[in-house]
Amino acid sequence: MTKKPAFHSRTKHIDVHYHYIQNLVSNGEITLKSCDTNEQAADIFTKSLPQVKQEFFKGQLGVCNFESRGSVEK
């Protein structure tokens, strides 16, 4: 949709404020990149994942267990 901004009957249900991204792309303010499904860190918040994948995404997001970091001194 951002590459071919022509109106299509399949896109008419998309609200006007979503076209903001399309305007940013056409003005050259941002560039959209394809992200492989195995690199979607947001999946950790929206899907049930195998433990290996969950640990990988936790590492990408910088999430850690407090217990593994050691005690916190007051």
Side-chain angles (χ1 to χ4, degrees):
M1 199 168 95
T2 59
K3 293 181 182 179
K4 296 181 183 179
F7 177 79
H8 296 284
S9 61
R10 294 179 296 191
T11 61
K12 69 180 179 181
H13 68 281
I14 298 174
D15 198 38
V16 175
H17 71 273
Y18 291 109
H19 293 284
Y20 176 71
I21 299 296
Q22 182 180 5
N23 291 335
L24 292 176
V25 170
S26 64
N27 292 338
E29 295 179 44
I30 63 170
T31 303
L32 299 180
K33 293 186 205 177
S34 178
C35 186
D36 186 52
T37 187
N38 294 320
E39 299 172 356
Q40 299 273 350
D43 284 354
I44 197 170
F45 301 115
T46 61
K47 297 180 181 176
S48 175
L49 299 173
Q51 185 175 1
V52 173
K53 211 170 200 182
Q54 184 177 9
E55 294 298 324
F56 174 74
F57 289 145
K58 280 173 53 177
Q60 280 190 323
L61 295 171
V63 176
C64 63
N65 294 330
F66 284 108
E67 294 84 20
S68 66
R69 288 185 12 193
S71 65
V72 178
E73 296 181 25
K74 291 184 180 184

